[in-house]
Structures are given as structure tokens and as C-alpha cells.
Amino acid sequence: MPSTLPEGEVAPRDGALPEAAVREAAGRPLGFYLHVPFCASRCGYCDFNTYTAKELGGGASQASYADTAIEEIRLARRVLAELDQPVETVFFGGGTPTLLPAADLGRMLGAVRDEFGLAPDAEVTTEANPESVDPAYLEALLEAGFTRVSFGMQSASTHVLRILDRQHTPGRALQAVKEATAAGFEHVNLDLIYGTPGESLDDWRASLESALTADPDHVSAYALIVEDGTQLARRIRRGELPMPDDDDLADKYVLADELLTAHSLTWYEVSNWARTEDARCRHNELYWRGDTWWGIGPGAHSHVGGVRWWNVKHPSAYAERLDAGRSPAHARELLDPETRRVERVLLEIRLSAGLPLDVLDTPGRTAANQVVADGLAEITDDRLTLTNQGRLLADAVVRALLP
């Protein structure tokens, strides 16, 4: 959830969508993303649209946030009145959703259920900082209908957590996984970050090995990205910390893949590994396939049938619009066929299922043959799939396929 918003065309005050967009959405899976923009403190690397209590100022309240978000869910129902299909995935992200009471998250989920219905096997995920939950909280989430929890572990190294401005101790994430499992969650993810300035290869190995002791059925491992405007970027610019090194990042990715694969976690997207197909994050798969999702909350992005829009950024402005009976959308864009094709290449090439060759244009198919000759991809059943080496150079592969 980036902190800056792109420009676009003016969005309708009532949030109305073209009839063709709603008709197209009827044939694709439907998901909801619920953004909770609150954090106890700001991590130095984070560029997401989040706010601490000090940054919020007047006009925005954590206590009333669930009611405000529920108003947007009801707006979504009015806009999608002709869409008659249950929700397959719900994802609470942030920020730190679990800063809100579990009952508030349950009420927001309940509004999605009441307005749209949930599929019998719906996946319902919340992100959580390890220190923001306890066994009673996790049990309340499970009772409310949550099926999956994703903990931000990032590292097992104290000095790495310090550089990232993470507040939890190295062992707390592992304990949180155990508590979630004991509460009855079948699916638990750990998020890890590699490439932090000062992190050695041994530090990264220790983080991976530590994470695996908790036996999560899903692990996400992301290379650190230094975003402009963050505290980390300022420290690097001042020379206090070095920039992440591409060769170091590659070495750490290879190590992650080796260790995770050895523990029966299989990659299904370049940065994500799951123990079974059921353990995959179906909500993220919905994004990667360009399906249908409505993003609830300040700064949240949505996509329905080739129409993409994004909400106003600040929680106060978001609440004011909904209080006035208006859509909180800041702007939107109607994606033309070529833009949608390019985005399919960008996203689907990252999946283990591969990119259908018929998505490529003529120059792209020629480039695909060269990518295969270079050992960066394979063609099976008319799909282009990255090799291990190709995953390391996924961005270069995309540049080749979109000449």
C-alpha cells in the first residue's frame, strides 16, 4: 500500500462503474482487501500508507475506523449490485490490523459476509506484528472466521531488527506462530526480509533456520527495497549505512530457496513458498492473475473488470467522504487491452504456473525463445516458466519480453 497516489481521471462521486466492467467481473474470483492504516511505530524501511497516533492528528480515530470501513463495504455492495457471487478471499493488511480489537476485525469481516456472502472455502487472512497478538486475540480471530494469519518476522538478528526499526524481539515471531497453531489456525505465514545493511549471509541463514523451527506452512522472503522518503533512505544517503548489494541479494535468494525447498516448502511465486497448494495465499494469487478485488480503506487500490481506482490517502479525508455519502475514490483509470496485456506479463511470469505464450506479442515470442536459449526459462504446455536462474533475473526477463 504505497504512500503516494498516482494521478488519474476523476472518479464518480457515487463510485459507479461501467456496466461492462461489472459484467466482466462476474466471471472472475472476487476478493476484498481491507487496509488498516495504523501502526504503533513507524519502521525505517516502510513506505506504506500508515500512521502512528502522533501522525494522525485530529479527525481520525482508531476507535471508529471499523464503522467507517463498513460504510465503504456497503458502498461496494451498491456499486456491485448486479454482481451475484460470493467473496473467495479477504485480506486485512496495513499498517497493523491487529492494533484494532479482534471484535472490530470480526465486524468488518462480518460486513463483507452480510453484504456479499463468503464462499464455503473462503480464505480470510490478517497480517499481524508478533507483539500485537496473544492467544486470546488469536482465538477470537479464529472464532470470527479468519483462516490464515501472516506474521512480520523479518529477521532473527537483533542488529538487523534494530536497523529496520522493528519493535519485537527475535523470538517473539516464533512464539506467535506456535500460539496461532495452538489456537487452531491451519495456515500461518512468516514474512522475512533479506539484504538489510549490515546483514551477513550467516545472519540470513540463521533467520531462515529460525523461521523453519516454527514450522509455518508458508514463507514469504522479500529483498529489501530502499524507498525514497523513508528513514532508511535518508540514513543511506547520509552515508550511515550502505546500499543493498545486488550480488549479496542474489546469494541470499539462492540460500532461501535451498533451505525452504529442503523443508518441503515449494516456490509458487518468485518471493513465496508454500508447503501445499492449499497453503498458498489465494488472495495474492488473485492480484497476480488480475482478477477482481475491492480495496477498503485510505489509499487502498481496487480493480474491477479493467477499471482500477484508488482511495484518498489520509484516514481523515477517507472518513469525511464516507460520512458525506460519497465514494472515497481519489481517481481511477480505465485499462486498455495493451496495458492489461503488459501487466499480465509483469505478474504472471513470476508464477510457477508460468505465463501463457499467447499473451506475448510477436517480438515477445521471439524474445521468449532467446530467454529459453539463455537458460532463464522453459516452455511447457505453451507456458513460459522461469528456471532457478531466471528467478534471479526475473526483471531482466520481463524487459526482454516487453521490447
Side-chain angles (χ1 to χ4, degrees):
M1 188 57 55
S3 61
T4 56
L5 296 176
E7 295 302 320
E9 67 176 42
V10 175
R13 291 172 63 91
D14 62 358
L17 292 169
E19 291 183 6
V22 179
R23 284 198 303 270
E24 180 183 331
R28 310 194 70 135
L30 171 64
F32 268 79
Y33 171 77
L34 292 97
H35 185 63
V36 179
F38 310 118
C39 283
S41 62
R42 180 171 293 281
C43 298
Y45 64 93
C46 181
D47 186 43
F48 287 1
N49 186 37
T50 62
Y51 302 84
T52 64
K54 182 178 179 180
E55 292 168 331
L56 272 173
S61 167
Q62 290 187 31
S64 63
Y65 184 75
D67 291 325
T68 304
I70 288 170
E71 284 304 311
E72 189 182 0
I73 295 168
R74 291 171 178 160
L75 169 69
R77 178 68 281 178
R78 294 194 295 274
V79 171
L80 300 177
E82 302 303 316
L83 193 65
D84 184 21
Q85 63 191 81
V87 174
E88 296 192 15
T89 67
V90 183
F91 194 104
F92 287 71
T96 307
T98 45
L99 278 184
L100 297 183
D104 279 4
L105 300 187
R107 287 199 299 120
M108 294 158 72
L109 174 60
V112 174
R113 181 188 295 112
D114 292 344
E115 297 294 338
F116 289 86
L118 294 178
D121 63 343
E123 173 193 272
V124 182
T125 304
T126 186
E127 295 179 335
N129 279 349
E131 74 280 6
S132 66
V133 298
D134 59 22
Y137 191 104
L138 292 164
E139 289 169 6
L141 288 179
L142 195 71
E143 185 174 348
F146 285 76
T147 66
R148 187 173 180 274
V149 62
S150 177
F151 292 110
M153 174 179 172
Q154 318 312 0
S155 176
S157 169
T158 301
H159 74 90
V160 171
L161 292 174
R162 187 181 306 117
I163 291 171
L164 295 174
D165 293 318
R166 299 289 294 182
Q167 301 301 309
H168 61 84
T169 60
R172 175 56 202 154
L174 308 181
Q175 184 60 36
V177 173
K178 295 177 182 177
E179 291 170 358
T181 302
F185 281 94
E186 293 184 17
H187 301 304
V188 182
N189 172 62
L190 281 176
D191 273 346
L192 299 173
I193 290 178
Y194 59 92
T196 300
E199 178 192 60
S200 68
L201 190 63
D202 285 341
D203 288 332
W204 176 233
R205 181 187 297 275
S207 293
L208 289 163
E209 291 176 343
S210 180
L212 289 167
T213 65
D215 199 31
D217 67 348
H218 191 287
V219 172
S220 301
Y222 300 107
L224 178 69
I225 298 175
V226 180
E227 301 284 3
D228 290 341
T230 62
Q231 176 64 17
L232 179 62
R234 289 189 288 271
R235 294 186 67 187
I236 290 175
R237 189 171 59 249
R238 293 193 297 262
E240 297 174 15
L241 297 169
M243 274 290 290
D245 176 78
D246 287 343
D247 290 338
D248 177 65
L249 293 175
D251 290 342
K252 288 173 178 172
Y253 182 87
V254 170
L255 179 60
D257 190 51
E258 289 176 352
L259 291 181
L260 295 172
T261 300
H263 283 77
S264 301
L265 291 157
T266 303
W267 82 281
Y268 68 101
E269 191 275 341
V270 167
S271 298
N272 290 271
W273 290 257
R275 193 173 305 283
T276 64
E277 188 167 338
D278 287 344
R280 295 178 178 183
C281 181
R282 288 162 46 203
H283 187 81
N284 283 343
E285 289 183 313
L286 180 145
Y287 293 153
W288 297 324
R289 292 192 309 261
D291 288 326
T292 304
W293 69 91
W294 190 297
I296 301 292
H301 285 55
S302 303
H303 173 262
V304 175
V307 181
R308 182 161 55 211
W309 70 94
W310 43 96
N311 287 347
V312 292
K313 176 182 170 184
H314 198 278
S316 295
Y318 172 75
E320 288 168 4
R321 291 207 180 188
L322 286 163
D323 287 345
R326 293 181 54 192
S327 164
H330 170 74
R332 76 180 190 182
E333 58 182 335
L334 279 70
L335 306 176
D336 59 47
E338 176 60 11
T339 299
R340 299 182 76 178
R341 186 190 73 82
V342 167
E343 292 189 357
R344 285 194 67 184
V345 175
L346 288 167
L347 295 173
E348 291 184 42
I349 192 61
R350 297 177 60 89
L351 301 175
S352 63
L355 172 73
L357 289 174
D358 61 12
V359 176
L360 298 172
D361 58 13
T362 300
R365 291 193 181 207
T366 300
N369 291 330
Q370 185 59 52
V371 166
V372 170
D374 291 340
L376 302 181
E378 299 171 340
I379 295 177
T380 305
D381 297 329
D382 291 325
R383 302 181 79 91
L384 187 68
T385 305
L386 295 175
T387 61
N388 290 349
Q389 182 67 15
R391 282 190 274 156
L392 292 173
L393 299 170
D395 291 343
V397 172
V398 168
R399 288 193 296 270
L401 297 176
L402 297 171

